[in-house]
């Protein structure tokens, strides 16, 4: 129940706006919106992660790399390849040791191959 989950995450953020897990709650709000097929709200939630919280690795418990990856995916799905590459490139460069960083590098490689094939 994504709506109920969002309420729980939003309540957490209201009660504990500066908690170490606040960026996680914000990221999962974005995931709920994404699963409800509400991409504009999902994008806003992921951007809030980037705008509001510390930019550290998921290996340290932060959601910055995952939020960047999701934004890259959203641009790629919309056919905005240049923007997708920007997000994937930043992610692969800044967080190469994370799962999201490795996935971003694979996406960059795929986008390059697809572009070269045209």
């Amino acid at each position: 129940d994504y709506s109920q989950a969002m309420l729980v995450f939003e309540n957490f953020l209201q009660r504990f706006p500066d908690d170490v897990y606040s960026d996680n709650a914000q990221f999962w709000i974005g995931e709920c919106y994404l699963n409800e097929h509400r991409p504009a709200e999902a994008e806003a939630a992921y951007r809030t992660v980037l705008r509001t919280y510390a930019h550290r690795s998921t290996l340290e418990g932060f959601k910055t790399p995952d939020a960047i990856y999701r934004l890259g995916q959203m641009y790629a799905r919309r056919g905005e390849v240049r923007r997708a590459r920007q997000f994937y490139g930043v992610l692969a460069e800044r967080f190469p040791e994370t799962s999201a960083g490795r996935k971003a590098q694979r996406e960059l490689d795929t986008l390059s191959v697809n572009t070269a094939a045209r």
Side-chain angles (χ1 to χ4, degrees), residues 3-51:
S3 295
Q4 184 62 37
M6 276 191 281
L7 289 174
V8 171
F9 293 131
E10 288 167 353
N11 183 48
F12 178 86
L13 288 172
Q14 287 176 355
R15 292 183 67 203
F16 309 104
D18 298 321
D19 189 87
V20 68
Y21 296 112
S22 294
D23 68 323
N24 277 267
Q26 184 63 49
F27 174 81
W28 287 105
I29 289 170
E31 292 290 277
C32 289
Y33 280 129
L34 195 61
N35 282 293
E36 286 190 331
H37 307 288
R38 297 169 63 183
E41 291 95 335
E43 182 175 343
Y46 298 134
R47 287 183 178 281
T48 298
V49 170
L50 301 182
R51 208 176 34 251

Side-chain angles (χ1 to χ4, degrees), residues 74-89:
M74 294 179 87
Y75 280 106
R77 285 186 186 129
R78 290 194 300 237
E80 297 180 46
V81 176
R82 186 181 67 69
R83 295 284 293 161
R85 276 196 185 119
Q86 288 175 328
F87 280 96
Y88 291 146

Side-chain angles (χ1 to χ4, degrees), residues 51-64:
R51 208 176 34 251
T52 307
Y53 302 102
H55 299 314
R56 291 179 147 157
S57 172
T58 49
L59 301 175
E60 298 175 68
F62 292 87
K63 289 308 239 184
T64 298

